[in-house]
């Protein structure tokens, strides 16, 4: 595991160094400069998206599992479902679970009960 972390760090530094060499080139220099500026401008949107994603994830996780104890996997749960919900995944079985075939009274199975029926 530690070897992979070191390998990823070294390869990232290698790519950054290659970009520095390419920035001096007559043809690739302007392209590298444009990439740097685009990434810098895109960072504002990523931070804004991250704030919304974390706030929704924390609220969703605290509503669905109010008595859950702290563990490191909780961070994964905060980010995982909200991230895929950005792309249209609705997680329908989690939102609307199937009805228990043994329930006989209306409202037991998770259906909404109208206030006038109470």
């Amino acid at each position: 595991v530690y070897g992979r972390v070191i390998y990823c760090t070294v390869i990232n530094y290698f790519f950054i160094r290659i970009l520095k060499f390419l920035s001096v080139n007559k043809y690739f220099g302007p392209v590298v400069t444009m990439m740097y500026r685009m990434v810098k401008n895109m960072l504002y949107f990523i931070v804004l998206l991250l704030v919304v994603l974390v706030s929704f994830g924390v609220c969703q996780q605290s509503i669905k599992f109010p008595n859950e104890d702290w563990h490191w996997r909780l961070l994964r749960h905060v980010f995982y479902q909200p991230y895929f919900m950005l792309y249209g995944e609705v997680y329908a079985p989690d939102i609307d679970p199937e009805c228990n075939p043994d329930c006989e009274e209306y409202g037991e199975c998770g259906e909404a009960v109208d206030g006038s029926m109470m």
Side-chain angles (χ1 to χ4, degrees):
V1 174
Y2 296 114
R4 289 179 189 244
V5 171
I6 291 171
Y7 175 69
C8 290
T9 306
V10 168
I11 199 106
N12 282 328
Y13 282 126
F14 176 72
F15 287 143
I16 290 171
R17 189 163 180 103
I18 291 290
L19 287 175
K20 285 183 180 181
F21 282 127
L22 287 177
S23 66
V24 180
N25 191 330
K26 181 169 106 175
Y27 300 107
F28 294 117
V31 175
V32 172
T33 305
M34 285 188 294
M35 283 174 33
Y36 170 73
R37 288 182 182 167
M38 283 191 292
V39 168
K40 192 171 85 171
N41 288 335
M42 193 175 63
L43 196 62
Y44 297 117
F45 294 110
I46 290 175
V47 167
L48 184 65
L49 182 69
L50 194 64
V51 167
V52 172
L53 187 77
V54 169
S55 62
F56 175 71
V58 166
C59 290
Q60 179 192 22
Q61 197 67 18
S62 65
I63 289 171
K64 286 171 76 174
F65 307 105
N67 298 324
E68 188 174 12
D69 292 332
W70 164 255
H71 50 79
W72 284 104
R73 286 179 305 201
L74 189 63
L75 291 177
R76 185 184 72 188
H77 297 306
V78 165
F79 284 103
Y80 186 74
Q81 278 191 354
Y83 176 75
F84 286 109
M85 283 181 170
L86 284 174
Y87 298 109
E89 178 66 41
V90 292
Y91 294 99
D94 294 343
I95 296 171
D96 189 22
E98 292 190 23
C99 183
N100 184 5
D102 297 334
C103 68
E104 298 172 0
E105 190 173 324
Y106 185 76
E108 279 184 15
C109 302
E111 295 101 355
V113 177
D114 187 21
S116 64
M117 299 178 101
M118 291 183 171

